[in-house]
Amino acid sequence: TTDIIFINDGSPSDTKQILERCSKERNEYINSVTVLYHRHPEGCAKCINEALQILPDCSYAIFMDSDLILTDNWQALVLDSFKDERVGIVGGVLLYPQTGGIQCCGIAFNQSVGRHLFLNNNPHVLYSKKPFTIQSTVFAFCAVRVSAIKQVGLLDENFFNGYEDFDYQFRIREKGYIAVTNPNIILYHWETSCGPHRVFNRKSNLGRFWEKHSSFVYSDIL
């Protein structure tokens, strides 16, 4: 069964009505639905931390954005990806709904930048159907082993709407876990704007990430 936690991070009033309706829906697959509300936007890291602190007893936690379109069998594919005990993080292939091109299937780095793998390419370039190792993915869709969460603790709230996802995954990998993309997990992501704060805080977020993890980054830019 699945436990769902929605976080309304200062969204417009009509969002509250939608979430209240969703919180009342149940079927044999949904165990519980919890809704957390913020009067004003408080950022991704703070939102996820609130959810992690009320996380029910479970094996895996999945972070996802509200503008994500899921496809059939995605949960079974996530569970299958965790059969390897080394795997702490599982990402999928996010596509642009407008074009069908790849938006994200993992992040590649060198010593100064991070880039989306195969950005805007046709997903057919992912010729392998087996999970492949990555350094990081994005929290728009990211499954994490709960035993890894218990080891690393909460997200660093000094990041505000940028690079908190990379930072958290690097902390998990530094504990000995690996991150993978399962190319069979196909999702569509509208990638709506996170607002002006993301742009305003980009340099400080980026600087904090490289200060913490530069020694652990390896070059795999394609």
Side-chain angles (χ1 to χ4, degrees):
T1 60
T2 300
D3 296 277
I4 300 173
I5 302 174
F6 290 111
I7 304 148
N8 182 348
D9 193 31
S11 298
S13 57
D14 56 344
T15 303
K16 182 177 181 180
Q17 298 173 1
I18 295 170
L19 291 177
E20 287 177 347
R21 185 171 68 249
C22 289
S23 68
K24 298 174 183 177
E25 295 182 1
R26 292 290 190 282
N27 59 38
E28 65 270 31
Y29 304 108
I30 299 175
N31 183 53
S32 67
V33 179
T34 302
V35 184
L36 305 177
Y37 291 100
H38 294 163
R39 184 180 297 274
H40 305 290
E42 298 185 20
C44 176
K46 186 173 180 62
C47 288
I48 291 178
N49 281 345
E50 285 190 36
L52 291 180
Q53 291 177 83
I54 61 169
L55 200 66
D57 185 24
C58 59
S59 299
Y60 313 105
I62 302 171
F63 311 139
M64 63 177 69
D65 285 358
S66 59
D67 55 355
L68 197 68
I69 302 172
L70 302 169
T71 57
D72 291 343
N73 206 37
W74 67 271
Q75 284 178 301
L77 291 167
V78 168
L79 293 177
D80 188 64
S81 305
F82 281 115
K83 286 183 178 178
D84 184 340
E85 293 295 326
R86 300 174 301 162
V87 174
I89 301 160
V90 175
V93 179
L94 276 62
L95 305 180
Y96 288 107
Q98 304 92 329
T99 65
I102 294 174
Q103 180 187 115
C104 183
C105 61
I107 306 296
F109 293 86
N110 66 19
Q111 290 301 316
S112 60
V113 296
R115 293 285 184 265
H116 289 276
L117 284 167
F118 301 111
L119 182 63
N120 292 318
N121 273 264
N122 188 300
H124 290 152
V125 300
L126 301 174
Y127 56 88
S128 172
K129 291 300 181 182
K130 296 181 179 180
F132 55 88
T133 304
I134 54 174
Q135 295 192 68
S136 180
T137 187
V138 292
F139 272 3
F141 179 86
C142 180
V144 182
R145 192 182 292 273
V146 169
S147 58
I149 291 173
K150 290 179 178 178
Q151 288 186 54
V152 301
L154 301 178
L155 277 70
D156 183 349
E157 294 183 11
N158 288 312
F159 292 91
F160 188 88
N161 286 354
Y163 295 92
E164 64 279 299
D165 48 359
F166 294 179
D167 171 68
Y168 199 62
Q169 292 172 76
F170 267 68
R171 286 165 57 196
I172 290 172
R173 288 179 49 239
E174 287 164 0
K175 293 293 185 180
Y177 293 94
I178 63 173
V180 300
T181 292
N182 187 333
N184 299 295
I185 303 173
I186 303 295
L187 313 118
Y188 295 88
H189 184 219
W190 287 101
E191 198 181 30
T192 51
S193 172
C194 291
H197 294 295
R198 185 179 183 89
V199 176
F200 181 79
N201 289 288
R202 184 179 183 278
K203 288 184 177 180
S204 60
N205 287 330
L206 183 60
R208 183 172 291 109
F209 170 78
W210 284 105
E211 181 180 10
K212 293 179 67 174
H213 303 293
S214 59
S215 62
F216 197 65
V217 173
Y218 60 87
S219 180
D220 59 351
I221 290 285
L222 301 179

